């Protein structure tokens, strides 16, 4: 794995239950501030094999970015199971639920 990928995977694995991070936030912390799309690819390609908590990653507006209904519904269900409130407009309050690693 490339260094960026290794760092991104480690960051994603470190997101605690009940909290979220954004694609861009993960990219920046992994060393590529403009690499949000790379984070999307990592999640798509490696979530199952690496045991990544993919459902804890949202877009910069605090929204679930998955387009298909089943995936979006699954992510919302998993987040709610962890105590994350999703507002009526489908947004997560990043001030309350965003995780910032030490």
């Amino acid at each position: 794995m490339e260094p960026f990928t290794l760092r991104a995977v480690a960051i994603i694995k470190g997101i605690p239950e009940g909290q979220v991070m954004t694609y861009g936030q993960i990219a920046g912390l992994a060393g590529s501030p403009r690499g949000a799309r790379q984070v999307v690819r990592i999640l798509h390609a490696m979530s199952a094999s690496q045991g990544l908590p993919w459902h804890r990653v949202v877009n910069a507006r605090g929204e679930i970015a998955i387009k298909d209904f089943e995936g979006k519904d699954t992510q919302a269900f998993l987040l709610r199971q962890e105590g994350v409130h999703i507002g009526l407009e489908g947004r997560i309050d990043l001030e309350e639920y965003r995780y910032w690693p030490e």
Side-chain angles (χ1 to χ4, degrees):
M1 272 191 261
E2 296 292 320
F4 173 81
T5 302
L6 288 170
R7 289 189 300 270
V9 166
I11 291 165
I12 295 164
K13 283 183 175 183
I15 304 170
E17 185 174 312
Q19 294 189 286
V20 299
M21 291 181 78
T22 68
Y23 299 100
Q25 178 187 8
I26 293 165
L29 291 171
S32 182
R34 299 176 61 87
R37 288 178 190 238
Q38 288 177 273
V39 174
V40 172
R41 287 188 205 101
I42 290 166
L43 286 167
H44 180 74
M46 305 177 94
S47 285
S49 66
Q50 295 292 317
L52 300 178
W54 60 271
H55 61 284
R56 296 180 187 147
V57 184
V58 297
N59 71 21
R61 293 182 301 277
E63 300 166 336
I64 293 172
I66 298 173
K67 299 294 182 211
D68 74 274
F69 177 76
E70 186 177 338
K72 185 175 249 181
D73 194 48
T74 299
Q75 186 172 5
F77 173 79
L78 292 170
L79 287 169
R80 286 185 182 112
Q81 288 290 105
E82 294 183 357
V84 175
H85 175 74
I86 301 171
L88 294 176
E89 62 284 335
R91 287 202 175 128
I92 295 161
D93 182 353
L94 293 177
E95 292 293 318
E96 183 174 351
Y97 295 104
R98 186 193 308 242
Y99 174 64
W100 287 101
E102 300 293 319

